[in-house]
Amino acid sequence: PPPPTITTMRRPSKPLLIAGIPIAGLALASYHGGTSVSAWSPAPHTTAATSRRSHKQSSSSSVVLHSAIEDELDLSSLHLTPQLEMMVTAFSSIPDEKTRHKQLLYMASKLPAVTDDVRISENKVPGCLSTVHVDCTLEPKEGDDDSDEGTMVVNYFGDSDGLLTKGLLALLIRGLNGATPEEIQHVDPQFIQAAKISQTLTPGRNNGFLNMLAVMKKKALDAAAEGGAAADIDADGGAEEQSAIVTSFEEIDGKPMYNTIMTTLITILKPTSITLTDNSSQHAGHAGSKGWEESGESHFALEIVAEAFEGLSLVKRHQLIYMLLGETMQKIHALEIKAKSPAEV
């Protein structure tokens, strides 16, 4: 009989790329029904089974990061920047979760370093498991097209002490840099689901991702306002009056949970009205409350009005707030919520 044929795979002479970034020493391959192995390339569709699996694993974050249970998300409906759309397509085509995770870590290693003047409280992202700082500048758009003359675009820079979180930050920075403040406001956070990255994230890190994107949107607005370019831009990309949005509150010394709840909800939901009442004193020493043991905080009553609640059921409004508060919710014994949209007031 003829000797067995031995097939040797050689390392490619050029690094494989994902959205222009070399894969971190990984031999990616696509399997399309045959036994042969080919260099990785974007696949056109995800399967319904994968989407259902994603939905099951990410149910705790389904309020905001909706899963495409039967059909793949239409990227055009997510209002992504060209760079972000390219990376979402590339990530969604990587055949396994472990490789996507490694790619995020590789992107983290390539994020440019920042100086200590960036690591200040004004640039810190609230509600993240790791410490994250991000800031931006507004600069004239470069290019030879006369139509771009006078167009101002945003360029971000930042850092995190957590590698996976730093990878998510690197993804956002690369995807949003060079976009206008208005384009950034339109970006739908569901792209993390379309990229299949949310499958690898815990609810806490999903929450951190939402917070990072929300802070980066706000940074873009602030930069545009300072440059006199934000007259018609709001946090939803429309023409809503900014004066109606609550942007600050009076912090209370010795009440870290109260301050965290207010900071998180104001930053992300941008409410037109918010009142948080600490009723912990009425339940002094309530057993099982971590918040009471740490700072004497266990019971709160929240009244909030925000555009984000428009079209959501009562249950989903509550789920949204629970998800945004992340680990803080684990320390609260009871949170009474009255959440309305402006049209309901």
Side-chain angles (χ1 to χ4, degrees):
T5 301
I6 300 176
T7 303
T8 303
M9 290 186 64
R10 295 181 178 180
R11 185 180 298 275
S13 58
K14 294 182 180 181
L16 298 173
L17 304 178
I18 172 172
I21 304 174
I23 296 297
L26 303 174
L28 286 183
S30 296
Y31 299 88
H32 296 295
T35 57
S36 61
V37 181
S38 60
W40 171 86
S41 60
H45 297 289
T46 186
T47 64
T50 301
S51 294
R52 285 193 294 271
R53 197 157 54 245
S54 168
H55 177 70
K56 182 177 180 181
Q57 292 174 348
S58 306
S59 59
S60 62
S61 60
S62 60
V63 176
V64 175
L65 302 180
H66 302 290
S67 175
I69 301 177
E70 297 296 337
D71 300 312
E72 187 177 5
L73 284 169
D74 179 10
L75 294 187
S76 64
S77 68
L78 302 181
H79 309 292
L80 305 181
T81 66
Q83 187 70 227
L84 198 52
E85 182 173 346
M86 181 170 60
M87 287 193 292
V88 167
T89 301
F91 265 98
S92 67
S93 303
I94 294 179
D96 65 276
E97 181 178 311
K98 185 177 180 180
T99 303
R100 286 191 293 271
H101 182 94
K102 287 184 176 180
Q103 185 58 29
L104 284 173
L105 297 184
Y106 179 75
M107 292 180 71
S109 71
K110 297 301 180 181
L111 187 65
V114 297
T115 56
D116 288 339
D117 59 352
V118 177
R119 300 184 183 92
I120 57 177
S121 59
E122 290 83 354
N123 296 334
K124 187 176 180 180
V125 178
C128 286
L129 298 178
S130 304
T131 301
V132 183
H133 294 91
V134 64
D135 201 3
C136 70
T137 58
L138 194 67
E139 303 171 6
K141 184 175 183 179
E142 297 180 357
D144 299 327
D145 193 339
D146 292 340
S147 63
D148 292 335
E149 187 175 353
T151 300
M152 303 297 287
V153 295
V154 180
N155 284 306
Y156 292 98
F157 43 90
D159 193 19
S160 173
D161 60 0
L163 283 179
L164 185 57
T165 303
K166 188 174 181 177
L168 291 171
L169 178 63
L171 175 69
L172 286 171
I173 288 177
R174 181 177 171 86
L176 298 179
N177 272 4
T180 66
E182 185 173 6
E183 290 170 339
I184 291 170
Q185 304 314 308
H186 282 89
V187 171
D188 191 323
Q190 287 190 77
F191 79 79
I192 198 79
Q193 188 80 14
K196 300 181 183 178
I197 296 174
S198 62
Q199 298 175 14
T200 69
L201 304 181
T202 63
R205 283 205 167 89
N206 265 326
N207 177 49
F209 161 76
L210 291 172
N211 290 353
M212 281 190 284
L213 180 58
V215 168
M216 292 173 78
K217 286 186 174 185
K218 185 176 185 300
K219 287 282 186 180
L221 284 177
D222 291 345
E226 292 176 5
D232 298 320
I233 304 173
D234 70 359
D236 293 317
E240 194 173 299
E241 292 184 6
Q242 291 296 304
S243 59
I245 305 297
V246 177
T247 59
S248 62
F249 71 101
E250 186 175 347
E251 293 192 7
I252 302 177
D253 292 338
K255 297 293 181 180
M257 290 176 61
Y258 173 92
N259 296 334
T260 297
I261 293 171
M262 290 291 286
T263 298
T264 301
L265 297 183
I266 287 174
T267 301
I268 298 177
L269 295 181
K270 295 177 173 54
T272 55
S273 174
I274 181 170
T275 302
L276 183 64
T277 305
D278 185 353
N279 295 323
S280 304
S281 60
Q282 301 174 18
H283 308 272
H286 204 293
S289 172
K290 294 181 180 179
W292 177 264
E293 295 173 0
E294 294 179 2
S295 59
E297 299 171 280
S298 60
H299 292 69
F300 294 91
L302 172 67
E303 295 184 17
I304 182 170
V305 179
E307 190 71 32
F309 299 131
E310 184 70 39
L312 294 182
S313 66
L314 181 63
V315 172
K316 287 193 176 295
R317 294 177 188 189
H318 288 200
Q319 289 176 340
L320 173 58
I321 292 172
Y322 295 155
M323 190 198 71
L324 293 178
L325 295 183
E327 290 190 336
T328 303
M329 279 303 305
Q330 300 176 18
K331 301 179 182 181
I332 298 175
H333 186 83
L335 176 62
E336 179 186 349
I337 300 174
K338 293 182 180 178
K340 299 180 179 181
S341 68
E344 297 168 328
V345 177

